Amino acid sequence: MAKVALLIGVSEYEPGLNPLPSTVRDVEAVCEVLLHPEMGGFAASDILLLKNPERQAVEMAIEMLFSSRHRDDLLLLYFSGHGIKDDRGRLYLATRNTSKTSQGELIRSTSVSANFIHDRMSDSRSRRQVVILDSCFSGAFAEGMSAKDDGTIDIREQLGGEGRAVLTSSTSTQYSFEQEGQDLSIYTRFLVEGIKSGEADRNQDEFISIDELHEYASQKVREIQPAMKPEIYAIREGFKIRLTKVAPGDPRQRAIP
């Protein structure tokens, strides 16, 4: 069983899209908790960070993340940056070279479509797939999401849930927000906080599953930015996938940087 992560942060854009300074710091913060041996337990060789990549690099990395995997592998795709909906309501993830026409319309070939990611996920043998999108309109990613079901559902307790889960910072119609004076975006800040503090472990079983992480982060986000409504979308038992562990010690005594 492998645990593999692709973390993408895009802060620099072509004219027409505002810069997002926090996104590169977001991926670094997520990487830190995943690498922590008592939290994420990911190996450094199994985490790829892409900072301000172009579209082709992103698509190649996504394809590599989901291809040639085993059923029990845990795969995590995290993205922080602009999400853009086209005139038909389809979601695209913006990259460093994403461009718009003089009329302000998205040039689709410069961005990564949600459909491309859906297809790579459906082709994968892995049955533990997690996608976390900290972007505008990220909830639109779940539209059209489907399960590849071979008829054999075998959920093993020690692995947590089996399936597919998507966490999004906003619904399909909302913008996400950065908070002035904070190094991280609002949503990612609380994802990281929930893992580092251990407070996201709602059932106190020493593991943080996807649904617990969502519950913690969404509650915290709504307390300071009620207009944001983080969402969770899961197929089969995806919401019970265990992403991290709780580090030893009293969570209430841990300082959050």
Side-chain angles (χ1 to χ4, degrees), residues 19 26 39 77 81 84-85 87 129 134 153 180 183 197-198 236 238 247:
D26 286 344
M39 295 180 191
L77 171 61
I84 304 172
K85 293 178 74 174
D87 53 5
Q129 303 175 11
D134 193 345
I153 301 177
E180 189 173 349
D183 287 340
S197 68
R236 302 204 310 228

Side-chain angles (χ1 to χ4, degrees), residues 171-209:
T171 68
S172 60
T173 59
Q174 291 178 319
Y175 290 95
S176 293
F177 302 88
E178 291 187 306
Q179 187 178 18
E180 189 173 349
Q182 293 291 335
D183 287 340
L184 305 180
S185 63
I186 295 175
Y187 183 60
T188 295
R189 171 187 161 197
F190 289 119
L191 292 176
V192 171
E193 179 181 290
I195 295 171
K196 278 191 169 184
S197 68
E199 292 182 9
D201 178 21
R202 296 304 176 99
N203 64 3
Q204 299 183 339
D205 67 351
E206 303 301 318
F207 290 93
I208 296 175
S209 57

Side-chain angles (χ1 to χ4, degrees), residues 38-227:
E38 295 178 331
M39 295 180 191
F42 281 65
S45 59
D46 288 329
I47 298 179
L48 176 61
L49 272 71
L50 293 182
K51 301 177 182 179
N52 296 311
E54 296 189 350
R55 178 198 59 79
Q56 185 176 12
V58 173
E59 291 190 348
M60 287 179 63
I62 290 172
E63 189 154 3
M64 293 300 293
L65 173 67
F66 290 106
S67 66
S68 302
R69 300 301 177 188
H70 298 290
R71 184 182 184 91
D72 292 341
D73 290 346
L74 171 60
L75 308 180
L76 169 64
L77 171 61
Y78 169 89
F79 175 85
S80 180
H82 279 297
I84 304 172
K85 293 178 74 174
D86 67 8
D87 53 5
R88 294 173 61 183
R90 296 173 299 192
L91 178 69
Y92 292 79
L93 303 184
T95 66
R96 183 167 61 84
N97 64 321
T98 293
S99 304
K100 295 183 176 182
T101 66
S102 56
Q103 289 76 38
E105 295 178 354
L106 174 67
I107 301 176
R108 295 171 181 82
S109 60
T110 62
S111 55
V112 179
S113 73
N115 284 340
F116 172 84
I117 304 174
H118 288 161
D119 288 345
R120 302 293 77 74
M121 295 173 72
S122 294
D123 290 342
S124 180
R125 295 188 186 94
S126 167
R127 291 298 177 267
R128 294 196 299 155
Q129 303 175 11
V130 178
V131 176
I132 300 177
L133 301 178
D134 193 345
S135 67
C136 300
F137 311 121
S138 50
F141 182 86
E143 296 169 8
M145 190 173 71
S146 61
K148 180 181 179 183
D149 192 345
D150 59 7
T152 58
I153 301 177
D154 178 21
I155 302 169
R156 291 189 246 173
E157 181 62 27
Q158 67 270 24
L159 295 179
E162 179 192 73
R164 184 182 302 173
V166 177
L167 299 184
T168 67
S169 59
S170 62
T171 68
S172 60
T173 59
Q174 291 178 319
Y175 290 95
S176 293
F177 302 88
E178 291 187 306
Q179 187 178 18
E180 189 173 349
Q182 293 291 335
D183 287 340
L184 305 180
S185 63
I186 295 175
Y187 183 60
T188 295
R189 171 187 161 197
F190 289 119
L191 292 176
V192 171
E193 179 181 290
I195 295 171
K196 278 191 169 184
S197 68
E199 292 182 9
D201 178 21
R202 296 304 176 99
N203 64 3
Q204 299 183 339
D205 67 351
E206 303 301 318
F207 290 93
I208 296 175
S209 57
I210 290 301
D211 61 328
E212 290 177 314
L213 188 58
H214 164 73
E215 182 182 346
Y216 177 86
S218 60
Q219 178 182 332
K220 292 290 188 177
V221 165
R222 290 195 301 268
E223 287 175 1
I224 64 172
Q225 187 52 264

